[in-house]
Every structure is written in C-alpha cells, then in structure tokens.
Amino acid sequence: MTASATVLNIWCLRHSTGTDFGVNQALAGLAPSIAVAELGGTPLQDFLKSLPGVIGAIDSARSDPDNLYLTMDTAGGLGNSIWPTDRSTLDIQADQSVSPGIQVPVAFSQSLSLWDFDAVSADDLLGSITVFESEQGAGELAKLAKSDVESSYYFVTYRVD
C-alpha cells in the first residue's frame, strides 16, 4: 500500500521579492526540516518569528503577493497544479498561511513545488520540498521550501500516513 502525505499548512515567511542579500543572509541558517512535536506546543510560526532576522524578513517583503499554486514535480504551469484544485492561484504574502488539506501519494519520495504564476513570463519556482515514505508515522513535519533567486521562504507542514 502506498503511503499518503497530507499537506496541512503552507506558511509564507517571505514571499518573492527578488534579490535582497542581507535578508537572505539572515535567513540562511533556518532549519530545513522541523519535527513540529519537538516545539513543545509552540506554534511553528511563533517559534520561527522568535529567531533572529525572521521579523525583518517579513517586514521587508514588498506588498504585491505571490500567486501561489502547488505541483508534484519541478515543472511549473497551472496545467500541472494539484492545488488549488480548480487550476487557479491563491494570493499570499509574508506572514500569511493556507491550509490546503490535500493528499498526495508517496512511493519512496515525492517532490512538492510551490510556484508563483506569471501571466506574461514563465512562472517562478518559489521552492520545493521532498516528502519521504520513510516519514510515515513521524507526526507533523515542517520543511523549508526556498528560492535564492526569488528570495522566497515558505514552510510546508505535512503528515505521512
């Protein structure tokens, strides 16, 4: 039987802004994976906001949002989107989150990629994570999806059953 991952939450720490070296340096040390149970009941967003540089990253993000959608590979395009399920996008900015609640099959490993839709040029890859079948039963995990090119930082929280 193939494992299934449920995407519980996508939290935007910093939406795409282009190059901002100082902020990128401040965020470079973020943990790429966090076992949510190890936070002792502290919500993920509160824990991350307590780290040096995180509030500055949220505050420095420009005001126009990412037009977010999710794929199961590193190929962009709304035709490859698995969420939102109607092939649309969701506007999201720094310090906002969404709860997709979608399930994806995981046979050994499965890539999940976050994209910013662009009507006049190629869509921008905001970051990717890899979900592993071996994470089955580990509880909620949060992984960092980031793009150095776009200066975007998102945490994707999921569970593998």
Side-chain angles (χ1 to χ4, degrees), residues 37-142:
E38 293 179 11
L39 300 180
T42 303
L44 176 67
Q45 288 91 327
D46 293 346
F47 169 77
L48 290 167
K49 286 180 189 178
S50 72
L51 300 175
V54 171
I55 293 297
I58 291 170
D59 289 344
S60 69
R62 67 177 193 243
S63 62
D64 55 324
D66 287 338
N67 305 115
L68 181 67
Y69 67 94
L70 183 68
T71 67
M72 289 177 44
D73 54 31
T74 55
L78 285 177
N80 294 323
S81 175
I82 59 166
W83 178 88
T85 56
D86 62 357
R87 302 285 195 254
S88 66
T89 64
L90 181 83
D91 288 354
I92 190 166
Q93 295 180 324
D95 203 22
Q96 293 181 334
S97 65
V98 295
S99 299
I102 60 167
Q103 291 187 333
V104 295
V106 180
F108 182 66
S109 67
Q110 179 60 61
S111 175
L112 295 174
S113 297
L114 286 68
W115 292 89
D116 178 31
F117 175 76
D118 285 328
V120 296
S121 64
D123 294 353
D124 299 318
L125 179 61
L126 300 172
S128 296
I129 65 164
T130 303
V131 176
F132 295 96
E133 186 177 18
S134 63
E135 295 170 330
Q136 191 169 13
E140 290 183 17
L141 298 170

